[in-house]
Coordinates of all heavy atoms in Angstrom, one line a residue:
A1 N 106.0 239.8 -70.5 CA 104.9 239.0 -71.0 C 105.3 238.0 -72.1 O 105.7 238.4 -73.1 CB 104.0 240.1 -71.7
P2 N 105.1 236.8 -71.7 CA 105.5 235.7 -72.8 C 104.3 235.5 -73.8 O 103.2 236.0 -73.6 CB 105.5 234.4 -71.8 CG 104.6 234.7 -70.8 CD 104.6 236.2 -70.5
A3 N 104.7 234.9 -74.9 CA 103.7 234.6 -75.9 C 102.7 233.6 -75.4 O 101.6 233.5 -76.0 CB 104.4 234.1 -77.1
F4 N 103.1 232.8 -74.5 CA 102.1 231.6 -74.1 C 102.4 231.3 -72.7 O 103.7 231.1 -72.2 CB 102.4 230.4 -75.1 CG 101.5 229.1 -74.6 CD1 100.2 229.3 -74.7 CD2 102.1 228.1 -74.1 CE1 99.4 228.1 -74.4 CE2 101.4 227.0 -73.7 CZ 100.1 227.0 -73.8
S5 N 101.4 231.0 -71.9 CA 101.5 230.7 -70.5 C 100.9 229.4 -70.2 O 99.7 229.2 -70.3 CB 100.8 231.8 -69.6 OG 100.9 231.4 -68.3
A6 N 101.7 228.3 -70.0 CA 101.1 226.9 -69.9 C 100.2 226.9 -68.6 O 100.5 227.5 -67.6 CB 102.4 226.0 -69.8
Y7 N 99.1 226.1 -68.7 CA 98.2 225.8 -67.6 C 97.6 227.1 -67.2 O 96.9 227.1 -66.2 CB 98.9 225.1 -66.5 CG 99.2 223.6 -66.8 CD1 100.4 223.3 -67.5 CD2 98.1 222.7 -66.8 CE1 100.6 222.0 -67.8 CE2 98.4 221.3 -67.2 CZ 99.7 221.0 -67.6 OH 99.9 219.7 -68.0
G8 N 97.6 228.2 -67.9 CA 96.8 229.3 -67.6 C 97.2 230.3 -66.5 O 96.8 231.5 -66.7
V9 N 97.9 229.9 -65.6 CA 98.2 230.8 -64.5 C 99.6 230.7 -64.1 O 100.2 229.7 -64.0 CB 97.3 230.4 -63.2 CG1 97.8 231.5 -62.1 CG2 95.9 230.5 -63.5
A10 N 100.3 231.9 -64.2 CA 101.7 232.1 -63.9 C 101.9 232.3 -62.5 O 101.0 232.6 -61.7 CB 102.4 233.2 -64.7
A11 N 103.1 232.0 -62.0 CA 103.4 232.1 -60.5 C 103.3 233.4 -60.0 O 103.3 233.7 -58.8 CB 104.8 231.4 -60.2
Q12 N 103.5 234.5 -60.8 CA 103.5 235.9 -60.3 C 102.2 236.3 -59.6 O 102.1 237.2 -58.8 CB 103.9 236.9 -61.3 CG 105.3 236.6 -62.0 CD 105.1 235.9 -63.2 OE1 104.3 235.0 -63.3 NE2 105.9 236.1 -64.2
Q13 N 101.1 235.7 -60.0 CA 99.8 236.3 -59.6 C 99.2 235.5 -58.6 O 99.1 234.2 -58.6 CB 98.9 236.4 -60.8 CG 97.6 237.0 -60.5 CD 97.7 238.5 -60.1 OE1 98.3 239.2 -60.7 NE2 97.1 238.8 -59.0
E14 N 98.6 236.2 -57.5 CA 98.0 235.4 -56.5 C 96.4 235.3 -56.7 O 95.9 236.1 -57.5 CB 98.2 236.1 -55.1 CG 99.6 236.0 -54.6 CD 99.8 236.8 -53.3 OE1 99.2 237.8 -53.1 OE2 100.5 236.2 -52.4
D15 N 95.9 234.4 -56.0 CA 94.4 234.3 -56.0 C 93.8 235.6 -55.4 O 94.3 236.1 -54.4 CB 94.0 233.1 -55.2 CG 92.5 232.9 -55.1 OD1 92.0 232.3 -55.9 OD2 92.0 233.5 -54.1
P16 N 92.8 236.2 -56.0 CA 92.2 237.4 -55.4 C 91.7 237.3 -54.0 O 91.8 238.3 -53.3 CB 91.0 237.6 -56.3 CG 90.7 236.4 -57.0 CD 92.1 235.6 -57.2
L17 N 91.3 236.1 -53.5 CA 90.9 235.9 -52.2 C 92.1 236.1 -51.3 O 92.0 236.6 -50.2 CB 90.2 234.6 -52.0 CG 89.7 234.3 -50.6 CD1 88.6 235.3 -50.2 CD2 89.1 232.9 -50.6
T18 N 93.2 235.5 -51.7 CA 94.5 235.6 -50.9 C 94.9 237.1 -50.9 O 95.4 237.5 -49.8 CB 95.6 234.8 -51.5 OG1 95.2 233.4 -51.6 CG2 96.9 234.9 -50.8
Q19 N 94.7 237.8 -52.0 CA 95.1 239.2 -52.0 C 94.2 240.0 -50.9 O 94.7 240.8 -50.2 CB 95.0 239.8 -53.4 CG 95.9 239.3 -54.3 CD 95.7 239.9 -55.7 OE1 94.6 240.1 -56.2 NE2 96.8 240.2 -56.3
A20 N 92.9 239.7 -50.9 CA 92.0 240.3 -50.0 C 92.4 240.0 -48.6 O 92.4 241.0 -47.6 CB 90.6 239.9 -50.3
M21 N 92.8 238.7 -48.2 CA 93.2 238.4 -46.9 C 94.5 239.1 -46.5 O 94.6 239.6 -45.3 CB 93.4 236.8 -46.8 CG 92.1 236.1 -46.9 SD 91.0 236.2 -45.5 CE 92.0 235.6 -44.2
R22 N 95.4 239.3 -47.4 CA 96.7 240.0 -47.1 C 96.3 241.4 -46.8 O 96.9 242.0 -45.9 CB 97.6 239.8 -48.2 CG 98.3 238.5 -48.4 CD 99.4 238.4 -49.4 NE 100.0 237.2 -49.6 CZ 100.7 236.4 -48.8 NH1 101.0 236.9 -47.6 NH2 101.1 235.3 -49.2
G23 N 95.4 242.0 -47.5 CA 95.0 243.3 -47.3 C 94.5 243.6 -45.9 O 94.7 244.5 -45.2
L24 N 93.5 242.7 -45.5 CA 93.0 242.7 -44.2 C 94.0 242.6 -43.1 O 94.0 243.2 -42.0 CB 91.9 241.6 -44.0 CG 90.6 241.9 -44.8 CD1 89.8 240.6 -44.8 CD2 89.9 243.1 -44.4
I25 N 95.0 241.6 -43.3 CA 96.1 241.5 -42.2 C 96.8 242.7 -42.1 O 97.2 243.1 -41.0 CB 96.9 240.2 -42.7 CG1 96.1 238.9 -42.6 CG2 98.1 240.2 -41.8 CD1 96.9 237.7 -43.1
D26 N 97.2 243.3 -43.3 CA 98.0 244.6 -43.2 C 97.3 245.6 -42.5 O 97.8 246.4 -41.7 CB 98.4 244.9 -44.6 CG 99.4 244.0 -45.3 OD1 100.0 243.2 -44.6 OD2 99.6 244.1 -46.5
S27 N 96.0 245.7 -42.8 CA 95.2 246.8 -42.2 C 95.1 246.6 -40.7 O 95.2 247.6 -39.8 CB 93.8 246.8 -42.8 OG 92.9 247.8 -42.2
A28 N 94.8 245.4 -40.2 CA 94.7 245.0 -38.8 C 96.1 245.3 -38.1 O 96.0 245.9 -37.0 CB 94.3 243.6 -38.6
Q29 N 97.2 245.0 -38.8 CA 98.5 245.3 -38.1 C 98.7 246.8 -38.0 O 99.2 247.3 -36.9 CB 99.6 244.7 -39.0 CG 100.9 244.8 -38.4 CD 102.1 244.2 -39.3 OE1 101.9 244.1 -40.5 NE2 103.1 243.8 -38.7
T30 N 98.4 247.5 -39.0 CA 98.5 249.0 -39.0 C 97.6 249.6 -37.8 O 98.1 250.5 -37.1 CB 98.2 249.6 -40.3 OG1 99.0 249.0 -41.3 CG2 98.4 251.1 -40.4
Q31 N 96.4 249.1 -37.8 CA 95.5 249.6 -36.8 C 96.0 249.3 -35.4 O 95.9 250.2 -34.4 CB 94.1 249.1 -36.9 CG 93.3 249.7 -38.2 CD 91.9 249.0 -38.4 OE1 91.4 248.5 -37.5 NE2 91.4 249.1 -39.6
E32 N 96.5 248.2 -35.1 CA 97.0 247.9 -33.8 C 98.2 248.7 -33.4 O 98.3 249.1 -32.3 CB 97.4 246.3 -33.7 CG 97.8 246.0 -32.3 CD 98.2 244.6 -32.2 OE1 99.1 244.1 -33.0 OE2 97.6 243.8 -31.3
H33 N 99.0 249.0 -34.5 CA 100.2 249.8 -34.2 C 99.8 251.2 -33.8 O 100.3 251.8 -32.9 CB 101.1 249.8 -35.5 CG 102.3 250.7 -35.4 ND1 103.3 250.5 -34.5 CD2 102.6 251.9 -36.0 CE1 104.2 251.5 -34.7 NE2 103.8 252.3 -35.5
Q34 N 98.7 251.8 -34.6 CA 98.3 253.1 -34.3 C 97.6 253.2 -32.8 O 97.8 254.1 -32.1 CB 97.3 253.6 -35.3 CG 97.9 253.7 -36.7 CD 98.9 254.8 -36.8 OE1 98.8 255.8 -36.1 NE2 100.0 254.6 -37.5
I35 N 96.8 252.2 -32.4 CA 96.3 252.0 -31.1 C 97.2 252.1 -30.1 O 97.1 252.8 -29.1 CB 95.3 250.9 -31.1 CG1 94.0 251.2 -32.0 CG2 94.8 250.7 -29.6 CD1 93.1 250.0 -32.1
A36 N 98.3 251.3 -30.3 CA 99.4 251.3 -29.3 C 100.0 252.6 -29.1 O 100.4 252.9 -27.9 CB 100.4 250.1 -29.7
L37 N 100.3 253.2 -30.2 CA 101.0 254.5 -30.1 C 100.1 255.5 -29.4 O 100.6 256.4 -28.6 CB 101.2 255.1 -31.5 CG 102.3 254.4 -32.4 CD1 102.4 255.0 -33.8 CD2 103.7 254.5 -31.7
L38 N 98.7 255.5 -29.6 CA 97.8 256.4 -28.8 C 97.8 256.1 -27.4 O 97.9 257.0 -26.5 CB 96.4 256.2 -29.4 CG 96.2 256.7 -30.8 CD1 94.8 256.3 -31.3 CD2 96.3 258.3 -30.8
W39 N 97.8 254.7 -27.0 CA 97.9 254.4 -25.5 C 99.2 254.9 -24.9 O 99.3 255.4 -23.7 CB 97.6 253.0 -25.3 CG 96.2 252.5 -25.4 CD1 95.6 251.6 -26.3 CD2 95.1 253.0 -24.6 NE1 94.4 251.4 -26.0 CE2 93.9 252.3 -25.0 CE3 95.0 253.9 -23.6 CZ2 92.7 252.5 -24.5 CZ3 93.7 254.2 -23.0 CH2 92.6 253.4 -23.5
R40 N 100.2 254.8 -25.6 CA 101.6 255.2 -25.1 C 101.6 256.7 -24.9 O 102.1 257.2 -23.9 CB 102.6 254.8 -26.0 CG 103.0 253.3 -26.0 CD 104.0 252.9 -27.1 NE 103.9 251.5 -27.3 CZ 104.6 250.9 -28.4 NH1 105.2 251.7 -29.3 NH2 104.6 249.6 -28.5

């Protein structure tokens, strides 16, 4: 944690909408993997 962060946003943090999209992508990938295992 620095004493001051120029321009308000540091590079470590993503936009919350991007975080939500990544969560949906991970969930969809997991579901497809589980469905493929069931069919096999």
Side-chain angles (χ1 to χ4, degrees):
F4 175 69
S5 177
Y7 288 92
V9 179
Q12 298 100 319
Q13 183 62 50
E14 292 181 320
D15 177 90
L17 185 59
T18 301
Q19 291 179 325
M21 291 294 294
R22 289 191 186 282
L24 291 173
I25 291 171
D26 292 342
S27 177
Q29 183 181 25
T30 301
Q31 290 180 18
E32 185 181 57
H33 177 67
Q34 294 298 324
I35 292 171
L37 291 177
L38 288 172
W39 281 122
R40 290 172 193 170

